[in-house]
Amino acid sequence: MKKVEVDLLLYNGTVLTLVSDQIIENGFIAITGGRIVAIGQRYHDQLQPKEAWDLSSSLVMPGLINAHTHAAMVFFRGLADDLPLMEWLEKYIFPAERKNVNEELVYLGTLLACAEMIRSGTTTFCDMYIFEKEVAQAAKKAGMRAVVGEVLYDFPSPNVKSIDEGLQYTADLAEMWKNDPLIIPAVEPHATYTCSPGLIKRCKELSDVYSIPLIIHLSETESEVKLVKEKHGLTPVFYLDHLGVLSERLIADHCVKVTEDEMELLKRYGVKVVHCPESNMKLASGVAPVPELLAKGVVVGLGTDGCASNNNLDMFQEMDTAAKLHKVYREDPTAMNAISVVKMATINGAKVLGLENDLGSIEVGKKADLIIIDLNKPHLTPLYNHYSQLVYAVNGSDVTGSIIDGRVVMRDGKLTTIDEKIVMKEVRRIARNVSKSVL
Ligand SMILES: [Zn+2]
């Protein structure tokens, strides 16, 4: 009988599929043309792989999806911490951005972020920043899947001088990357308090023209709610409803201060929510009502937010925090369980980005975005429950391999697409200017 040729065969591993809690012990996954073509138990001798990896004592799972970040902000990691929000923003982050952010910083920062993300198990990230054409190029170079959108405000950014220019830049981005296998363009107005009603409506129109996601920070802090109420007489979610922009393609980041009625509205329109617990904790914004959102059937993904407010891009840490934050906040250890959090970082993250037909679980026909975790370590021994281990014990640094779109981007702890030493050296060089600029 003729054997079936495949590009890559992973065998002898524990396969966490994220399909109705299915875990395959001693399983294999066959990959061809960037997609999963077969899954099963034990070595499949009818397959003829070009390359085969023995995954004994490792676990393979869908790559993690960081559903909200500002990747290039790794440049501002630790620049200013432990300050009140407005002082932090106005005295440090905004001036540092005004004086330093250019194409080179964004490209290098994103490459550094990609190295950190690949190393800690993320295969897809959803980005919002300045000079997103550079973000797209860096993600492409790193071999990472990325949703990219230029941040848009009423006021000029270091990249665009006007609203018209910002929207044109976004349209160019959408044209440039349509049908790309890795890069997905998006329209990204910053927030309700930095964008006029007119800008938000035009963003919605543009996202309709290209059928791409519309992404906004929403109801992140009490002061945002107060501002929007004073200015428009409505709370943020009702305000967006009034503008006619709520839809299944809207991704709302944070949603910390949403009311019961607003949660109903999010559910009714199929709006997607991204939970960023560490950023919300660090900036003391509050605790998002995630158990309530989930109970209502709202799709919730997980994000790290930017490195200035986290200060890392490790989704394993984010999962651990997401589970524990809701427990301590409610004084209820059942408020959030491990499997719900793993889903937030995988299949639900894929749903948030509208990519669930391709990503988020290990199924035949889906894209091969997979990570490998070495379980043969003291802090991961013994192993009774895989989901508990992933959320409460695994660190990002336990990830040893990563495959994105069928391409190996890390093997045995070595990145194949990024020269980290050079990137870190360049980042340190530019960081000296960043540090001088906020003195
Ligand atoms: Zn953010």
Side-chain angles (χ1 to χ4, degrees), residues 49-76:
K50 289 181 194 151
E51 193 180 341
W53 295 5
D54 184 347
L55 298 188
S56 46
S57 76
S58 290
L59 174 141
V60 56
M61 68 178 289
L64 304 181
I65 296 174
N66 186 346
H68 177 60
T69 189
H70 313 273
M73 287 188 86
V74 288
F75 258 105
F76 308 122

Side-chain angles (χ1 to χ4, degrees), residues 395-422:
N395 299 312
S397 54
D398 297 320
V399 177
T400 58
S402 177
I403 295 160
I404 304 176
D405 212 46
R407 179 185 183 195
V408 177
V409 295
M410 179 166 72
R411 182 166 189 192
D412 297 331
K414 272 191 81 98
L415 300 185
T416 64
T417 54
I418 305 171
D419 189 332
E420 291 162 292
K421 272 191 188 148
I422 292 179

Side-chain angles (χ1 to χ4, degrees), residues 68 70 217 253-254 305-306:
H68 177 60
H70 313 273
H217 292 109
D253 299 324
H254 300 299
D305 210 352

Side-chain angles (χ1 to χ4, degrees), residues 44 59 86 90 203 213-214 230 271 277 318 360 371 407 428-429:
H44 207 292
L59 174 141
M86 281 306 157
E90 285 167 7
C203 287
L214 178 68
E230 277 169 13
V271 175
E318 205 69 33
I371 57 169
R407 179 185 183 195
R428 286 189 192 108
R429 172 179 63 81

Side-chain angles (χ1 to χ4, degrees), residues 246-257:
L246 298 185
S247 85
E248 284 190 342
R249 266 209 312 277
L250 180 69
I251 301 173
D253 299 324
H254 300 299
C255 292
V256 172
K257 295 292 175 186

